[in-house]
Structure formats: structure tokens, C-alpha cells
Amino acid sequence: KQEVTQIPAALSVPEGENLVLNCSFTDSAIYNLQWFRQDPGKGLTSLLLIQSSQREQTSGRLNASLDKSSGRSTLYIAASQPGDSATYLCAVRDNYGQNFVFGPGTRLSVLP
Amino acid sequence: ETGVTQTPRHLVMGMTNKKSLKCEQHLGHNAMYWYKQSAKKPLELMFVYSLEERVENNSVPSRFSPECPNSSHLFLHLHTLQPEDSALYLCASSQWDREGTEAFFGQGTRLTVV
């Protein structure tokens, strides 16, 4: 059974810092990995999708990498801003049920 | 606007009530999902529909009953719920059997059972 973990559980940084969020998964047989952002009480907003054949995706200040063989992904946020404060979730879509298995999230606070 | 719309956004219901959650997607996807998000727990998959057929029922109690009348609409019928069922219920859609497809989520329904 696929399991997804995220480290750290919470992170607080001053504005302007670059930061890295980590995601690990136990079964490398995945279709893709997706990073989401969730603001309190709201739904999920898709940030980046990395297909199983890709190693990296970029969107603005965000860069996500994927190392499928080691079961890891990182989300890099450059020049963080207070508006980046949210919970960041990673999810893998596995080859078996084709469902999305989520990690518990990293709660990020960017202080002005 | 994500293309996935959920109604209502908030719902308070008693344990003896019957209510329904609605989800609609305008993305042309052929798969829809219900997830439950409780405090301090990862998102839990409840049901998956592909081409209007249920392909997964993730050991969900029978007091939750899904319905998918067509590929654009998904319902979650609720009856005789328990207080521990209070949570954020999220609907998502994607394209089944397509490796590179993204999942898109609605804004969720915040359910409180009293």
C-alpha cells in the first residue's frame, strides 16, 4: 500500500528566504506526482504536476523535482512571500488504483 | 475558479437528517472523486467514479452513499451521520487512464454534524 510522508510538518521563515519542502513515497510505481496548496478551510489548488518520466517542473518561483527510484520529491520556493503562507500537500498517483494518495502536508508560515 | 464546483460550501445537520452534497466539473474529465479531510489527518479517499461507474469504495460506512448520474456530476448522499463525520469533504476530477493528467479540486463542503 502506497504511503506518503512530508517533512517538515510545519515551517516558519522570514520573508525573502528560499526554502525546500520534502515529500517521500514508499512505492515507486507511480503515474505522476502533484504538489498542491491549501489555504485554511479551502480546497486544493494545483501547483505543479511531474510525470513519472520527468525529473523537474518549474512555475514562477516554484520548482519541483522528482527522484522516482528513491521515492522522493522536493518543492523549492524561491524568495518566499507572506502570501505563500499555506499548507502544501504532495500526492502521488499510483499505477494500481490510479488514485491520488496524499501526504499529511507541510504548514508554511512566511513572516513579514 | 478551478472548474470544479461544490455546493453547499457549509452544512450543519443533525444526526437524524438526510442531506446531499453536490459536485460539478466543467473540465471534460471522465473520473470524479470524493475525499474526506479531518483535522490533523491526511486526505482520505472515499469513492472514485470512472465513466459513471464506481471503481473504488474505500471502506466507507453505508451512511455515505455516492451517486454519479453523468460524467459531470457527482453527489454524496448523507443520512444518520455521527459527530465524527464532521469534516471538509472535497470533490476532485481528472482524466482516467491518462498518465499525465492533473487532479483538480473543488473548494469543499465544510460539514458539521450536531
Side-chain angles (χ1 to χ4, degrees):
Chain A
K1 178 185 173 185
Q2 179 76 265
E3 293 184 1
V4 181
T5 56
Q6 292 186 246
I7 294 173
L11 181 63
S12 185
V13 300
E15 181 176 5
E17 276 204 6
N18 303 325
L19 55 100
V20 175
L21 308 181
N22 298 289
C23 173
S24 298
F25 47 96
T26 54
D27 190 335
S28 61
I30 64 170
Y31 266 177
N32 58 46
L33 184 145
Q34 196 167 352
W35 282 93
F36 295 89
R37 168 189 173 134
Q38 185 177 30
D39 294 292
K42 300 291 182 63
L44 277 63
T45 300
S46 179
L47 297 174
L48 288 165
L49 171 73
I50 309 178
Q51 299 183 28
S52 61
S53 57
Q54 296 177 322
R55 294 192 63 86
E56 197 172 359
Q57 279 288 345
T58 298
S59 176
R61 294 182 294 109
L62 305 180
N63 176 278
S65 67
L66 174 64
D67 184 344
K68 202 171 71 163
S69 61
S70 67
R72 294 179 184 177
S73 176
T74 61
L75 178 66
Y76 176 82
I77 303 177
S80 58
Q81 303 172 356
D84 295 330
S85 298
T87 296
Y88 290 81
L89 298 155
C90 71
V92 297
R93 189 176 190 189
D94 63 43
N95 284 354
Y96 309 113
Q98 298 193 43
N99 301 318
F100 299 90
V101 180
F102 281 83
T106 293
R107 191 172 66 254
L108 173 66
S109 296
V110 181
L111 307 174
Chain B
E1 178 59 52
T2 66
V4 180
T5 304
Q6 289 186 243
T7 54
R9 292 293 306 278
H10 302 273
L11 179 62
V12 179
M13 60 185 289
M15 289 190 284
T16 58
N17 290 159
K18 290 185 180 181
K19 296 286 184 183
S20 295
L21 310 185
K22 179 182 176 181
C23 177
E24 186 173 1
Q25 59 98 0
H26 306 281
L27 301 168
H29 290 159
N30 61 11
M32 297 185 77
Y33 309 74
W34 280 117
Y35 282 86
K36 176 184 179 182
Q37 189 176 37
S38 306
K40 299 183 180 179
K41 292 175 72 174
L43 270 78
E44 300 172 74
L45 178 67
M46 299 177 72
F47 301 103
V48 183
Y49 275 82
S50 173
L51 300 172
E52 296 127 56
E53 288 191 16
R54 192 188 310 179
V55 295
E56 183 144 345
N57 176 348
N58 219 22
S59 302
V60 178
S62 59
R63 58 186 183 270
F64 295 91
S65 175
E67 178 190 1
C68 188
N70 56 61
S71 60
S72 299
H73 294 86
L74 184 66
F75 295 90
L76 188 63
H77 303 299
L78 316 171
H79 64 98
T80 59
L81 295 191
Q82 304 298 310
E84 60 264 29
D85 296 322
S86 299
L88 182 67
Y89 288 84
L90 291 162
C91 172
S93 73
S94 74
Q95 195 67 12
W96 193 259
D97 271 342
R98 285 269 300 274
E99 181 176 325
T101 187
E102 286 180 83
F104 289 91
F105 280 76
Q107 289 297 299
T109 294
R110 171 68 63 185
L111 174 66
T112 304
V113 182
V114 297

